[in-house]
Amino acid sequence: MGFLLRDAEKIICAVIFLGMTALGFANVVVRYGTNLSLAATEELLTNGFLLLTVFGGAIAARRGEHLAVTLVHDALPRALWKPLFLMSVLLTVGLLALSAWFSWQALTNLYGNGMRSYALGLPAWYYQAALPFGFALIIVRYIQHALEVLKGRAKDEIPDV
Amino acid sequence: MFEALSDISAGTQMIVLFFLLMALRVPVAFALGLSAVYAMWRIGFGLELAGDLIAAGVTKFSLLAIPFFILAGTLMGTLGIAERMIRFFRVLIGTLPGGMGVVGTVVCLFWGAVSGSGPASVAAIGPMIIKGMEEDGYSRAYAAGLVCAGAALSIVIPPSIGLVIYGVIAEASISRLFIAAIVPGLFMGLAMLAVLPLATRGARPAGSPGLAALCPAPDPGLPYGRRLGKAFRESFWGLMTPVVILGGIYSGIFTPTEAALVATVYALAVGALAYGTLTLRGLYDALGDAAASSAVVMLVVAYASLFGWVVTVEDLVGSYSGALLGLSDNEWVILLVIMLILLLAGMFMDAVTVMFISLPIFMPVVRELGWDPVWFGVLVMVNLAIGLITPPVGINLYVAANVTRLPIERVAWGALPFLIASLVGLAVIAAVPSMSQFLVAWLN
Amino acid sequence: ETLRLSHNTGDATTWHKGAEKFGELLAEKTGGEIDVRVFPNAQLSGGDQMRQAEMVGRGALDLVVTSAINVTPLVPEMAVFSLPYLYSSYEQVDATTQGAPGQMLADILLEKGIVVLAWGENGFREVTNNIRPIRTPEDMQGLNMRVAGPMYIDVMNALGANPQQMQWGETMTALQQGVVDGQENPIGAVIIPQQVYEVQKYLTAWHYSYDPVFLGISRAKWDSYDADTQAHIRDAAQEAMAYQRQITRESTASGIEFLREKGMEVYEPTAEELEAFRAATKPAFDTWAAKVGEELVTAFQDAISAAN
Ligand code: NA
Ligand code: NA
């Protein structure tokens, strides 16, 4: 259970990524080897990519991997670092919350107007249903990481080699 | 304060805000998103589209090469394929002056003929080259910088999605563009080789032992031929990767984007069947790492698409170019101004967006002055390749920072010599149109 | 006030010229009170051509110029226009788009929040390939064809070809390197501006499927205007789209000559040869006619027979 909670987004990503690899490769093989092609491959891959981006974003947030420029920050007096860090976390969480809200709106629009996917003709909202939750998960992971930084348990710097 | 602000356009405010947020150490992706959302709110248009725009920014088929090449690169690292390849190149030409730096540049140019996307190339071959260069005494930052600049040439050397799009917008012949870009692309590689000694100087500690002492070549007792043969046999399956990919693309089995997928499956197969290095745990970790790495890059792309949307709606490129193009009627000044605008736009946006919003403004000028649209297209593409390595939004830098775990400004710093070399290269290609034209003329 | 118009092709296409024309006429008719800013390449929807109409439908964008094929995910009935070999002449096309059948679809689009102001033209879709000239359905056997959507998959299967779905961005290289052998698209809207002739040898003007363009305004915007302004908008749209249809047909007619000059081998099938294609694609027609709805298809077929 603990593993599931801790690794939720990593498990999701591994499954999606492996599935995308298998599907995309199968399409190449089937097209080359037979007279058929898996016509819906493109649609499934690009939408899988969308999920991969959001849930992969959560993995990166937990590890503090989202790239920032530290040049100006490092030149400022040390006393300012903590308030600046808090402000940066607050702004980021704000944008992620907005993104969750925007994707929730997009989802309800798609649900309401009955738009269908291009190749498979599935309801288009299926593909975007997980997005708002993905953004919410990034927020959770981002805050988890920020708390660890504040408690001094996580390195707030990317290791400098 | 807000009254003073209202005199400045929302687009310009957005750019200022973006820099401010970055200085506050807000991650670049979120700084782009925050400043774009602010501008949308100011102009009162766009917030109701934001959810769709974020999704549309990611779900572009051509971008799919990025996660798969990142995954392939990760797997080649963890499965020991990359290491064996480096060993081979070390034995082959590692004793030349410049060592792995030369190898890295050549591999970048070679890979440019496989991939049409700069960031995907960094992901695919970056880790391998950087590791080799580091062992050869280069600093990690310079190695990353070289890979960023070399991989950017993937959008100049055909096949190039960028040239296809230019051809369509500018109504120029795509096959001529492909041919015209070959020599300038290789020339850019030469320019990079020229600054390689600069990158090494100061990177290697004074009196540093050469490669041989740092990392002795395998089996020093054997003659060169025997050593080479051994290294070749050991790294054979890894060395076959470009052969499989290029062969597959040029024999029409798969497309350049699908090549990234094939590379992933190939790496898995070599790890499982030839080297026996594939484990379930290793696969799970590689999938998670690659997902995180590609997400870091793709979130920048997603929020940059919001940013680019505001630039389009506010017609920022149009208004700045209008002012700048009116400055002079000297051809060279106009060319210089256009190149500067493209460089500036390329600092913030991806190549495709830049072309869509700027070419409709520039092409009438190009036609009026009677410039060759094919030559101009090569210039645009070299310019946008440079945009991939210029901060603040240089996607190649992000991918490299991500795979090397270096801060982006260190990578950008490492790329600086190559950026300068690229700018000089761009100037030469602009001043010598025959460089882009003679191959086209010769083939006709 | 400045209205924003989104369309999904480049700025040198007849779509763009029609949209610009609409803006000029509207500014003229309203004494400069309303003008239009045109955004090409689906820039306003982040490059996603399928979402433009939906955005206009919910009032997030003002105006759209798009083709029926791009709206089928939102309004499946729009597939009626592209049914294989539904039309055999421009007169038949005009009898439907400018008559009662076009109005039936406008009514459906109105329910989705889009007021159709006027119909324009994307054109008949023609087939190109690199293997052999296509004169009979048998010539299609075994060709790898890049197609644009689910209905065309069924049509290609009916002809014995292997359909592939592929993003346009990849198609040009795929054609050049032989990943696919051929593709199908309108001459004026795609084959010439996208330079398909550079990577393809044979073209057959088989007119197998038609795609209309329409100029639509968001219903919320439309309802905010008085009757006079609405009349101005509709007149400007009708005039602009009539112009757009005319230049599209002219460029299609001159386009065949242009493609021959560029070295393509162009084949124009006879009426009997077209009949063979019509017969061969009948199963796909029936499948998709059933999906679109019998009532709609009958209305189209009646208008078409009346035009003969
Ligand atoms: Na390339
Ligand atoms: Na840049």
Side-chain angles (χ1 to χ4, degrees):
Chain A
M1 193 62 205
F3 171 76
L4 279 182
L5 279 184
R6 203 174 56 243
D7 263 30
E9 62 269 31
K10 193 171 163 187
I11 297 167
I12 294 173
C13 283
V15 170
I16 295 173
F17 220 159
L18 211 55
M20 285 168 70
T21 310
L23 174 70
F25 188 69
N27 183 44
V28 174
V29 172
V30 167
R31 187 184 58 212
Y32 187 68
T34 72
N35 282 346
L36 303 165
S37 83
L38 310 174
T41 306
E42 179 193 320
E43 177 175 310
L44 289 169
L45 286 187
T46 50
N47 285 291
F49 188 24
L50 189 58
L51 291 179
L52 195 67
T53 297
V54 181
F55 287 99
I59 303 180
R62 186 74 180 83
R63 299 175 180 174
E65 286 184 353
H66 287 288
L67 298 160
V69 173
T70 55
L71 203 64
V72 181
H73 173 271
D74 292 353
L76 294 170
R78 221 160 233 287
L80 284 176
W81 285 11
K82 196 165 170 183
L84 276 181
F85 178 72
L86 282 176
M87 192 150 117
S88 145
V89 171
L90 212 66
L91 284 167
T92 299
V93 169
L95 177 74
L96 289 167
L98 277 173
S99 303
W101 168 242
F102 293 146
S103 40
W104 174 258
Q105 277 185 315
L107 178 62
T108 53
N109 285 335
L110 287 180
Y111 184 80
N113 63 33
M115 184 117 146
R116 296 202 156 245
S117 75
Y118 192 53
L120 283 176
L122 296 171
W125 65 270
Y126 283 12
Y127 287 126
Q128 299 203 13
L131 279 201
F133 306 101
F135 278 111
L137 189 59
I138 304 182
I139 296 180
V140 172
R141 298 311 196 197
Y142 206 81
I143 292 176
Q144 274 184 316
H145 175 75
L147 286 177
E148 284 180 11
V149 171
L150 287 175
K151 286 181 197 152
R153 264 187 306 188
K155 270 183 290 178
D156 133 43
E157 306 272 345
I158 301 166
D160 203 337
V161 190
Chain B
M1 180 187 164
F2 277 102
E3 270 160 45
L5 270 179
S6 63
D7 292 340
I8 311 166
S9 84
T12 306
Q13 290 178 40
M14 171 179 78
I15 293 173
V16 174
L17 181 63
F18 169 64
F19 278 107
L20 208 66
L21 288 167
M22 277 217 309
L24 287 176
R25 218 181 150 183
V26 174
V28 183
F30 308 130
L32 282 165
L34 281 163
S35 49
V37 166
Y38 165 79
M40 287 171 159
W41 169 72
R42 288 283 297 177
I43 57 182
F45 172 51
L47 287 179
E48 63 279 26
L49 300 174
D52 300 281
L53 292 174
I54 291 172
V58 176
T59 49
K60 291 187 178 134
F61 188 73
S62 53
L63 295 175
L64 267 177
I66 295 178
F68 286 116
F69 271 129
I70 288 180
L71 180 57
T74 310
L75 287 171
M76 288 194 181
T78 58
L79 298 176
I81 302 168
E83 199 190 316
R84 287 174 174 84
M85 282 177 73
I86 295 163
R87 210 181 297 155
F88 171 77
F89 279 115
R90 166 153 308 140
V91 176
L92 182 70
I93 48 172
T95 47
L96 287 179
M100 277 303 291
V102 179
V103 174
T105 312
V106 172
V107 173
C108 280
L109 293 177
F110 185 57
W111 196 263
V114 176
S115 157
S117 148
S121 295
V122 178
I125 53 175
M128 200 158 69
I129 296 173
I130 294 167
K131 191 171 176 221
M133 285 180 69
E134 248 187 312
E135 287 173 8
D136 207 353
Y138 287 89
S139 86
R140 181 179 286 193
Y142 277 117
L146 175 131
V147 167
C148 288
L153 297 179
S154 290
I155 72 166
V156 179
I157 296 167
S160 154
I161 295 165
L163 282 174
V164 172
I165 292 169
Y166 174 87
V168 170
I169 303 176
E171 298 176 70
S173 156
I174 291 161
S175 46
R176 280 179 189 206
L177 282 164
F178 273 17
I179 295 164
I182 295 174
V183 175
L186 296 176
F187 177 75
M188 295 295 283
L190 279 181
M192 285 177 52
L193 283 179
V195 295
L196 207 52
L198 273 179
T200 333
R201 226 178 48 149
R204 242 185 241 191
S208 133
L211 170 70
L214 267 175
C215 180
D219 312 308
L222 293 175
Y224 181 75
R226 296 270 306 277
R227 271 189 294 147
L228 194 63
K230 186 156 182 275
F232 181 76
R233 277 193 303 280
E234 280 173 2
S235 62
F236 177 76
W237 294 109
L239 291 173
M240 285 299 288
T241 315
V243 180
V244 169
I245 288 179
L246 277 175
I249 292 178
Y250 285 102
S251 60
I253 299 174
F254 42 77
T255 68
T257 302
E258 289 167 343
L261 259 162
V262 174
T264 303
V265 174
Y266 182 75
L268 283 172
V270 172
L273 304 175
Y275 299 158
T277 42
L278 182 69
T279 62
L280 208 57
R281 180 78 218 180
L283 177 62
Y284 176 63
D285 285 341
L287 288 168
D289 290 348
S293 295
S294 75
V296 166
V297 176
M298 286 315 298
L299 280 176
V300 174
V301 173
Y303 287 117
S305 71
L306 288 189
F307 195 92
W309 186 90
V310 175
V311 170
T312 308
V313 170
E314 288 286 273
D315 196 22
L316 284 182
V317 174
S319 49
Y320 287 121
S321 343
L324 289 168
L325 285 175
L327 289 178
S328 164
D329 49 11
N330 178 301
E331 273 195 37
W332 291 103
V333 176
I334 292 176
L335 182 62
L336 187 69
V337 168
I338 291 180
M339 290 297 119
L340 283 176
I341 294 171
L342 285 172
L343 278 174
L344 281 173
M347 283 169 70
F348 295 95
M349 287 173 290
D350 72 284
V352 173
T353 312
V354 171
M355 282 192 284
F356 272 137
I357 61 185
S358 70
L359 289 181
I361 300 162
F362 295 149
M363 288 324 290
V365 180
V366 170
R367 274 180 223 117
E368 196 180 301
L369 293 174
W371 292 348
D372 174 10
V374 170
W375 163 75
F376 185 72
V378 174
L379 282 184
V380 169
M381 210 50 52
V382 171
N383 200 316
L384 294 176
I386 294 173
L388 290 172
I389 58 168
T390 51
V393 184
I395 304 295
N396 278 15
L397 300 177
Y398 293 123
V399 180
N402 197 277
V403 298
T404 56
R405 300 275 178 268
L406 285 174
I408 1 175
E409 61 267 29
R410 289 272 315 272
V411 177
W413 189 247
L416 187 64
F418 306 106
L419 174 63
I420 295 168
S422 303
L423 289 172
V424 173
L426 174 64
V428 174
I429 296 166
V432 189
S434 58
M435 199 192 273
S436 327
Q437 292 163 333
F438 86 91
L439 210 53
V440 180
W442 184 67
L443 281 174
N444 274 336
Chain C
E1 112 174 271
T2 301
L3 300 180
R4 296 186 185 89
L5 186 152
S6 176
H7 75 80
N8 46 275
T9 62
D11 65 349
T13 60
T14 63
W15 298 33
H16 193 80
K17 288 174 188 154
E20 293 278 9
K21 184 83 171 178
F22 169 68
E24 285 163 29
L25 291 169
L26 186 58
E28 211 173 277
K29 286 182 202 292
T30 58
E33 232 161 73
I34 306 179
D35 60 1
V36 176
R37 194 168 151 211
V38 179
F39 292 86
N41 296 312
Q43 285 170 346
L44 285 182
S45 58
D48 189 330
Q49 350 186 333
M50 306 289 168
R51 287 184 205 236
Q52 296 174 110
E54 187 267 333
M55 288 171 170
V56 170
R58 65 184 150 98
L61 300 181
D62 304 320
L63 292 155
V64 67
V65 171
T66 192
S67 81
I69 288 180
N70 288 294
V71 194
T72 43
L74 186 65
V75 182
E77 292 89 344
M78 290 294 266
V80 66
F81 290 105
S82 45
L83 288 172
Y85 290 104
L86 176 69
Y87 298 111
S88 45
S89 69
Y90 285 134
E91 291 71 38
Q92 295 180 354
V93 168
D94 293 342
T96 57
T97 56
Q98 311 304 318
Q103 193 50 49
M104 290 172 82
L105 285 161
D107 292 342
I108 299 172
L109 280 159
L110 188 63
E111 285 165 28
K112 299 280 180 184
I114 302 164
V115 179
V116 174
L117 296 170
W119 295 91
E121 180 157 287
N122 191 19
F124 282 107
R125 305 175 75 88
E126 316 296 10
V127 66
T128 68
N129 85 100
N130 269 337
I131 306 294
R132 54 182 168 254
I134 292 160
R135 301 198 175 94
T136 65
E138 289 68 44
D139 292 329
M140 290 295 293
Q141 283 286 342
L143 294 184
N144 280 320
M145 299 297 299
R146 183 266 179 190
V147 295
M151 192 194 76
Y152 297 110
I153 290 183
D154 290 353
V155 176
M156 287 297 168
N157 279 327
L159 290 168
N162 308 321
Q164 314 278 327
Q165 276 198 322
M166 188 178 281
Q167 201 109 355
W168 183 253
E170 291 241 303
T171 303
M172 288 293 283
T173 7
L175 288 169
Q176 193 159 32
Q177 289 158 354
V179 177
V180 289
D181 302 317
Q183 60 90 46
E184 48 76 51
N185 260 305
I187 289 180
V190 176
I191 293 175
I192 290 176
Q194 301 277 345
Q195 302 178 13
V196 176
Y197 52 84
E198 287 218 357
V199 291
Q200 293 276 269
K201 178 92 184 88
Y202 305 103
L203 182 141
T204 298
W206 66 353
H207 298 345
Y208 88 133
S209 177
Y210 179 79
D211 193 25
V213 159
F214 68 88
L215 170 55
I217 186 167
S218 116
R219 186 178 188 172
K221 195 88 213 166
W222 179 253
D223 289 342
S224 74
Y225 292 124
D226 58 34
D228 272 356
T229 315
Q230 288 184 346
H232 287 319
I233 296 176
R234 198 175 280 281
D235 291 348
Q238 291 283 350
E239 210 175 309
M241 285 295 108
Y243 164 76
Q244 191 273 343
R245 281 201 308 278
Q246 185 203 334
I247 56 174
T248 305
R249 286 173 193 182
E250 282 167 8
S251 69
T252 303
S254 60
I256 293 211
E257 267 328 292
F258 175 84
L259 293 174
R260 285 205 170 104
E261 274 166 37
K262 287 285 171 185
M264 280 195 98
E265 201 173 292
V266 178
Y267 185 70
E268 296 179 86
T270 64
E272 295 82 63
E273 283 169 329
L274 286 179
E275 206 44 56
F277 283 111
R278 189 189 304 269
T281 54
K282 185 78 169 47
F285 184 100
D286 293 341
T287 311
W288 283 84
K291 288 193 192 187
V292 165
E294 200 182 326
E295 193 194 346
L296 203 54
V297 177
T298 312
F300 270 70
Q301 285 173 327
D302 290 348
I304 287 167
S305 6
N308 286 335

